[in-house]
Amino acid sequence: MKPKIITIVGKSNSGKTTLLEKLIACLTQRGYKIGSVKHAHDGFEMDKEGKDSWRHRKAGAKSTLVITHNKAAIIKDDTTSYIEKMKYYLSDMDIILAEGFKKQTLPKIEIFRTQSVHKKPLCMNDKNMIAFVTDSDHKPDVPIFGLEDITKIADFIESNFLKN
């Protein structure tokens, strides 16, 4: 069974990474295997110019695996969709929490803070929004959580995506 994917969305500097860090820690403490994904722009290269893995890829390798005793990283040409990449490469996880991917048709938890420079949330009319994390007065028709309600958000994810 492929893991379910939930995206954490919000405008820049809204607290997406902080929320994701706290959710990963909370769900991991509950015994779940969490896969995380961060969107990167095209042109992003993980292997540095001149390193062996970079040289292998420049020579024509379509997939390069870098391994150590405790870690593995793969750099692979892959033109499948974002969603298919997440499901394929993280298939051994209980759930995938992704940061960004606001345009994908995936369940979204939006974070919106009144202290940001942005005046309104992104996803108020998005039918894929499943929860809203905020300190504002915005009231979309989904469960609403405070910025520090990490346990309650984890409970929501657990009951709706991990235990069904």
Side-chain angles (χ1 to χ4, degrees):
M1 186 170 95
K2 301 258 184 195
K4 294 180 179 165
I5 303 168
I6 297 174
T7 61
I8 307 299
V9 300
K11 296 185 178 178
S12 60
N13 297 313
S14 61
K16 296 182 298 289
T17 302
T18 300
L19 176 61
L20 198 52
E21 285 176 309
K22 291 176 179 180
L23 282 173
I24 290 168
C26 186
L27 290 167
T28 298
Q29 288 173 350
R30 295 180 185 193
Y32 294 107
K33 293 187 304 183
I34 309 302
S36 71
V37 178
K38 171 68 173 118
H39 182 260
H41 298 284
D42 282 333
F44 167 78
E45 286 290 334
M46 193 169 89
D47 39 35
K48 294 181 182 176
E49 185 173 344
K51 292 292 188 181
D52 292 347
S53 60
W54 178 86
R55 292 173 61 189
H56 296 179
R57 293 201 24 84
K58 293 306 171 199
K62 299 294 181 201
S63 183
T64 302
L65 180 64
V66 179
I67 58 173
T68 69
H69 181 68
N70 296 314
K71 296 178 184 166
I74 191 167
I75 303 154
K76 186 172 186 166
D77 293 346
D78 187 340
T79 58
T80 60
S81 73
Y82 290 131
I83 296 170
E84 289 305 311
K85 284 180 184 80
M86 288 183 225
K87 288 180 179 178
Y88 180 77
Y89 293 110
L90 298 173
S91 63
D92 59 334
M93 298 293 109
D94 294 320
I95 195 164
I96 299 167
L97 299 178
E99 182 177 334
F101 302 98
K102 62 186 173 225
K103 294 179 182 176
Q104 303 303 309
T105 306
L106 291 166
K108 295 172 179 64
I109 296 175
E110 180 171 357
I111 181 167
F112 178 78
R113 292 183 304 130
T114 57
Q115 294 300 312
S116 78
V117 297
H118 307 288
K119 302 296 180 216
K120 61 183 183 174
L122 284 171
C123 300
M124 294 301 280
N125 298 314
D126 188 329
K127 65 182 188 301
N128 295 300
M129 185 164 65
I130 59 167
F132 191 61
V133 179
T134 191
D135 60 353
S136 74
D137 293 332
H138 292 282
K139 302 281 188 228
D141 192 23
V142 296
I144 299 171
F145 301 97
L147 298 174
E148 297 301 323
D149 289 344
I150 303 306
T151 301
K152 290 179 183 177
I153 301 167
D155 292 343
F156 171 80
I157 291 171
E158 187 173 36
S159 63
N160 290 285
F161 293 89
L162 289 162
K163 290 194 171 180
N164 60 11

